[in-house]
C-alpha cells in the first residue's frame, strides 16, 4: 500500500496554496461589491482583480468575463444565449459534457449530435455536411465543441471547426473546463465565440466558474434580479470564490507544465500488460490517461485501485459514483469496452512517481483479478 496517489484532477483538483491564501484574505473583506462605500469598493477591487486574471487566461477583456457558479452554469448560459439569439438548431459534438447535452435537449430547439471518429476527434466532414444542410427551422448556427474531452483528454480541433461555423455565420461555444490550466485557452487560439471555465478543475475552489464571451456574442440575462455582472447574471457575487479562482488561474499560468513523459511511461506499462489506451492516436492533454481492459468492469478497477491507495475515476467526473457505460466511449465505438474503462488524471500537485505507482498498482490488480478467474493459468 502506498502513501496515497490522487490521479483524479479532471474530477476536481486539490486547492492550490495560492488560492487558499487568496480566499483566506478575502474572508476579511466585508463589503458587497455593489456597495459604494469604502468596504464595498474594496470588495469590488478584489472581484475585478480576479476577473482580470480570468480574462488573461481567456485572452479577453475583463468585461467579457461573467462569473457563474461553475462550468455547468457557464455552458447552460451559453446555450440559452444562443437560443435567445435566434438559433433554431443546436449542433453539439457527441462527446460534450452532460450539462451541454442536457441544456441543449431541454432548450426546445432541434439538437443534432455531430459524431466523433474512433480516435475521439469530432468528424469535421460530418460537421460540414450538417452546416451545408440548412436547418428547416432556420436561424443562426450554433456549435458546442469542447476544447479537450473530460474522459479521454482528446484535444478537439476547435479552430478548424470555428472556421467552418464562422463561414456559416454561426457561433462556436467551447467548453474549456478541462483544457484550462493545461493548454492555452485564449478565445482566438481556440477560435471560440464563447468559453466555459471552472475554477475547481485548475486548483481553485468548487462552485465558481465563468462564461467568457467575445464582443460579438450576446449573453442573455438568465437569472433575474440585480444588475451584477454587467446585468448578465443577477445575485451578489461569490467574492471568496472569485478570489480563489483568480489566484488559481495566476498560479496555473505561472507554473511550467511537466509534459507527457510520466503519463506516457505509465500508458506504455499498462498497455504492455494488456490495456487499451483510449484515444492514443489523437492529440491529448499531457496528464490524462483513459485505459480499458476487457472483462474488468470500470467500478472494479476504481474500487480495487482505491483499496491500494490510488484514486481515479470511471467514466465522466460528474457521473462518478453512478455506474453506467460512458456515453463518450460509446460514441468512439468502444462497444462493451466502454464499461471497462477508467480515467487517470494528473494536475498541479501530481508527482512523476504517482504515474509509476498507479501503473504498477493497476498491473498488480489486473494480474490478481485474472489469476482469480483463471487459476490454472496463473
Ligand atoms: N464541462 C466539463 C468538460 C467537465 O468535465 C465538467 C465537470 O466535470 C463540467 C463542464 C462541469 O463543471 P462544474 O463542475 O464546474 O459545474
Amino acid at each position: 500500500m502506498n502513501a496515497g496517489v490522487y490521479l483524479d484532477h479532471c474530477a476536481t483538483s486539490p486547492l492550490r496554496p495560492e488560492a487558499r491564501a487568496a480566499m483566506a484574505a478575502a474572508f476579511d473583506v466585508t463589503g458587497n461589491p455593489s456597495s459604494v462605500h469604502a468596504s464595498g469598493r474594496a470588495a469590488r477591487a478584489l472581484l475585478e482583480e480576479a476577473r482580470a486574471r480570468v480574462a488573461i487566461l481567456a485572452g479577453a477583456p475583463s468585461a467579457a468575463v461573467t462569473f457563474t457558479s461553475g462550468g455547468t452554469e457557464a455552458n447552460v448560459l451559453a446555450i440559452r444565449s444562443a437560443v435567445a439569439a435566434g438559433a433554431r438548431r443546436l449542433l453539439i459534438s457527441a462527446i460534450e459534457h452532460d450539462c451541454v447535452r442536457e441544456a441543449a435537449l431541454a432548450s426546445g430547439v432541434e439538437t443534432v449530435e455531430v459524431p466523433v471518429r474512433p480516435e475521439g476527434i469530432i468528424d469535421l466532414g460530418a460537421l460540414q455536411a450538417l452546416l451545408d444542410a440548412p436547418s428547416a427551422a432556420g436561424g443562426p448556427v450554433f456549435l458546442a465543441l469542447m476544447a479537450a474531452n473530460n474522459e479521454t483528454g482528446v484535444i478537439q480541433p476547435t479552430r478548424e471547426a470555428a472556421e467552418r461555423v464562422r463561414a456559416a455565420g454561426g457561433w462556436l461555444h467551447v467548453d474549456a473546463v478541462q483544457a484550462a490550466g493545461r493548454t492555452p485557452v485564449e478565445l482566438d487560439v481556440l477560435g471560440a465565440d464563447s468559453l466555459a471555465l471552472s475554477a475547481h478543475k485548475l486548483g481553485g475552489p468548487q462552485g465558481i466558474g465563468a462564461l467568457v464571451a467575445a464582443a460579438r456574442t450576446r449573453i442573455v440575462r438568465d437569472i433575474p434580479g440585480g444588475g451584477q455582472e454587467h446585468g448578465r447574471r443577477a445575485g451578489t457575487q461569490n467574492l471568496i470564490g472569485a478570489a480563489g479562482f483568480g489566484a488559481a488561474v495566476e498560479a496555473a499560468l505561472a507554473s511550467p507544465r511537466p509534459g507527457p513523459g510520466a503519463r506516457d511511461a505509465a500508458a506504455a506499462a499498462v498497455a504492455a500488460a494488456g490495456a487499451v489506451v483510449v484515444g492514443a492516436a489523437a492529440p491529448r492533454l499531457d496528464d490524462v490517461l483513459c485505459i480499458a481492459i476487457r472483462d474488468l468492469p470500470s467500478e472494479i478497477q476504481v474500487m480495487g485501485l482505491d483499496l491500494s491507495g490510488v484514486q481515479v475515476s470511471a467514466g465522466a467526473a460528474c457521473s462518478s459514483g453512478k455506474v453506467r457505460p460512458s456515453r463518450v466511449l460509446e460514441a468512439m465505438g468502444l462497444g462493451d469496452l466502454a464499461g471497462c474503462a477508467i480515467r487517470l488524471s494528473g494536475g498541479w500537485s501530481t508527482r512523476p512517481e504517482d504515474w509509476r505507482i498507479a501503473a504498477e498498482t493497476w498491473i498488480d490488480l489486473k494480474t490478481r483479478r485474472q489469476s482469480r478467474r483463471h487459476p490454472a493459468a496463473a
Side-chain angles (χ1 to χ4, degrees), residues 10 15 24 34 102 141 169 181-182 199 261 281 283 292 300 313 346 348 354 363 367:
C10 283
L15 195 63
S34 299
E102 297 286 318
V141 173
R182 293 186 160 109
I300 303 279
S313 269
W348 70 269
D354 292 339
I363 292 167
T367 311

Side-chain angles (χ1 to χ4, degrees), residues 85-363:
R88 292 289 162 266
R89 186 177 58 160
L90 303 173
L91 304 180
I92 62 170
S93 86
I95 55 167
E96 292 304 299
H97 189 269
D98 276 348
C99 63
V100 170
R101 187 164 178 271
E102 297 286 318
L105 291 173
S107 68
V109 167
E110 180 194 3
T111 298
V112 182
E113 282 194 4
V114 187
V116 294
R117 301 202 312 254
E119 68 273 27
I121 299 177
I122 188 172
D123 183 336
L124 288 172
L127 170 65
Q128 191 61 55
L130 283 163
L131 294 172
D132 291 344
S135 163
V141 173
F142 173 90
L143 171 68
L145 176 62
M146 62 200 340
N149 184 261
N150 48 303
E151 295 186 42
T152 60
V154 171
I155 296 170
Q156 300 298 316
T158 57
R159 279 189 76 86
E160 287 89 328
E163 278 163 25
R164 291 161 197 252
V165 169
R166 204 129 324 125
W171 166 346
L172 173 68
H173 172 68
V174 175
D175 175 345
V177 163
Q178 296 295 352
R182 293 186 160 109
T183 60
V185 294
E186 288 97 336
L187 285 171
D188 61 353
V189 170
L190 294 172
D193 297 288
S194 58
L195 202 68
L197 300 169
S198 174
H200 74 104
K201 308 289 188 178
L202 48 73
Q206 296 173 350
I208 186 157
L211 177 63
V212 185
R216 58 187 173 276
T217 310
R218 203 180 156 272
I219 300 306
V220 75
R221 184 179 161 79
D222 200 34
I223 299 182
Q228 292 92 347
E229 297 299 292
H230 301 280
R232 294 190 287 251
R233 183 188 189 260
T236 301
Q237 289 96 339
N238 173 0
L239 184 62
I240 292 158
F245 189 7
V249 162
E250 191 176 61
L253 289 174
S255 328
R257 300 287 311 150
R263 186 277 313 267
D264 285 348
V270 297
V276 172
V277 176
V278 179
R284 284 172 298 147
L285 296 174
D286 284 351
D287 49 12
V288 179
L289 174 62
C290 179
I291 57 171
I293 186 148
R294 200 160 294 287
D295 297 333
L296 206 47
S298 313
E299 63 274 18
I300 303 279
Q301 297 181 57
V302 171
M303 288 186 292
L305 289 174
D306 190 28
L307 286 172
S308 299
V310 176
Q311 300 174 71
V312 305
S313 269
C318 300
S319 60
S320 301
K322 294 185 231 159
V323 179
R324 62 175 160 85
S326 152
R327 182 170 53 74
V328 169
L329 303 184
E330 284 179 341
M332 291 170 69
L334 259 75
D336 291 347
L337 260 189
C340 299
I342 58 168
R343 175 196 64 199
L344 296 78
S345 52
W348 70 269
S349 59
T350 304
R351 306 156 306 167
E353 62 262 36
D354 292 339
W355 285 104
R356 181 184 49 76
I357 294 167
E360 286 169 6
T361 310
W362 185 87
I363 292 167

